[in-house]
Amino acid sequence: MTTWFESPDDAATRLREAGYLTDDATALTAYLAGALEKPLLVEGPAGVGKTELAKAVARAAGAELVRLQCYEGLDEARALYEWNYKKQLLRIQAAGGDQSWSETHDDIFTEEFLLTRPLLSAIRRDEPTVLLVDEVDKTDIEVEGLLLEVLSDFQVTIPELGTVTATRRPFVVLTSNASRELSEAVKRRCLFLHLDYPDAERERAIVTSQVPRLDDKVVAQLVDVVVRLRELELKKAPSIAESVDWARTLVALQVGDLDEATVARTLGVVLKHASDQQRAARELKLAAR
């Protein structure tokens, strides 16, 4: 059995060394997910570090990251496995009808013709693996049935080959933006962590750790503006990653003071909709008066 973290403090330390600053709840839940070998469901708005948590666990543990990016219309063939039908057809044609169907069936439904997708790949790996099922709420509810077998017993049934059981359980992270409710069956099998935007103090620490060359005064000004932007009714609030991108932009421009003009010039780094930029410019000017 893989020991992912020795304790919550160890999780916090190693994730920090991997570039991810946690709060107490995140460190505790990450530790428990590894210790109990239970999947971790991380829910929260876009841009708060849900996906990055899985990547940081992989970096901290020296594990391989296997990612299943979910989307509407995702099916078993893209999530689990499918057969290489073209190669099977070529094999049947090459046999020239000299085999019985039973012999042909046994010949073409073998490992040679199996195309593994992320879920099956993660289950079959012998090395430490982090399985990231990203934005699971974007899939159709039927896809959750595929996940249940994996999350329940860490095994996958392939009718033609039998049941594949994990020899080393992966560290599983499911992320959700809560665009729809996940089934209770999936939730029951997971530990749950809600991530929200960090408070100003923690976001300053995150930005400073990622962009140490930016002056502390400018970091404080940047985070203050970002917090105010998130309070507005925008189509897309600034993510933590966009805060970091903004900090890198200010370093590149050699900005020593984040004044109103500089905010206006660089607002496109954090706001990607014209209507959001217009609203922000208007609201920030009103607040400055």
Side-chain angles (χ1 to χ4, degrees), residues 18 43 71 112 123 132 137 157 216 267:
E43 190 175 85
Y71 53 88
E112 180 184 353
I123 287 294
L132 168 61
D137 54 318
T157 300
D216 288 347
L267 203 54

Side-chain angles (χ1 to χ4, degrees), residues 20-277:
Y20 190 94
L21 295 184
T22 70
D23 56 15
D24 291 342
T26 303
L28 174 63
T29 312
Y31 163 69
L32 290 175
L36 302 178
E37 294 189 323
K38 288 183 70 70
L40 173 57
L41 172 60
V42 188
E43 190 175 85
V48 296
K50 303 185 297 295
T51 299
E52 189 58 34
L53 174 59
K55 294 179 179 179
V57 170
R59 291 195 300 269
E64 182 79 16
L65 179 73
V66 176
R67 180 174 183 170
L68 173 62
Q69 179 61 54
C70 298
Y71 53 88
E72 187 176 351
L74 179 70
D75 59 11
E76 182 177 6
R78 295 300 174 190
L80 198 53
Y81 73 91
E82 65 178 325
W83 294 103
N84 189 334
Y85 297 117
K86 290 183 179 179
K87 190 173 181 180
Q88 287 175 322
L89 182 58
L90 288 173
R91 176 63 63 85
I92 292 171
Q93 291 172 339
D98 296 332
Q99 292 180 320
S100 67
W101 168 243
S102 177
E103 291 173 325
T104 301
H105 180 279
D106 292 343
D107 188 28
I108 64 175
F109 287 105
T110 61
E111 291 282 350
E112 180 184 353
F113 300 91
L114 187 67
L115 300 175
T116 61
R117 302 307 185 197
L119 292 181
L120 182 57
S121 294
I123 287 294
R124 301 178 83 184
R125 282 181 53 82
D126 293 326
E127 299 301 317
T129 304
V130 174
L131 171 61
L132 168 61
V133 184
D134 211 9
E135 298 183 308
V136 66
D137 54 318
K138 288 187 175 181
T139 64
D140 301 321
I141 194 167
E142 291 79 9
V143 174
E144 293 185 22
L146 296 177
L147 294 174
L148 286 177
E149 185 177 14
V150 176
L151 301 184
S152 299
D153 303 309
F154 288 90
Q155 65 181 28
V156 170
T157 300
I158 303 174
E160 297 85 356
L161 296 180
T163 299
V164 179
T165 303
T167 55
R168 183 194 291 261
R169 289 194 173 193
F171 188 111
V172 182
V173 179
L174 298 89
T175 73
S176 169
N177 296 333
S179 62
R180 70 169 177 85
E181 279 290 327
L182 301 180
S183 71
E184 291 300 322
V186 167
K187 289 183 176 181
R188 267 199 313 274
R189 287 159 175 80
C190 300
L191 298 178
F192 179 80
L193 175 67
H194 180 79
L195 284 185
D196 210 334
Y197 294 111
D199 59 30
E201 180 181 359
R202 185 159 158 258
E203 187 148 15
R204 286 194 296 270
I206 292 170
V207 172
T208 299
S209 70
Q210 297 293 318
V211 193
R213 293 172 55 198
L214 189 62
D215 184 80
D216 288 347
K217 182 187 79 170
V218 183
V219 171
Q221 292 173 326
L222 179 153
V223 171
D224 178 62
V225 174
V226 167
V227 169
R228 287 156 60 193
L229 289 174
R230 289 179 184 147
E231 292 172 349
L232 304 178
E233 293 184 7
L234 303 176
K235 288 184 177 179
K236 170 65 174 64
S239 68
I240 298 172
E242 286 164 333
S243 295
V244 172
D245 285 344
W246 202 8
R248 290 180 176 136
T249 299
L250 299 180
V251 169
L253 295 175
Q254 300 181 343
V255 171
D257 181 49
L258 188 57
D259 56 21
E260 185 178 313
T262 304
V263 171
R265 280 196 301 140
T266 58
L267 203 54
V269 178
V270 288
L271 298 181
K272 310 301 171 60
H273 295 275
S275 59
D276 285 349
Q277 292 185 20

Side-chain angles (χ1 to χ4, degrees), residues 3-17 27 31:
T3 301
W4 293 92
F5 302 109
E6 297 291 342
S7 66
D9 287 342
D10 179 53
T13 299
R14 289 169 59 194
L15 288 172
R16 181 173 64 250
E17 291 171 350
Y31 163 69

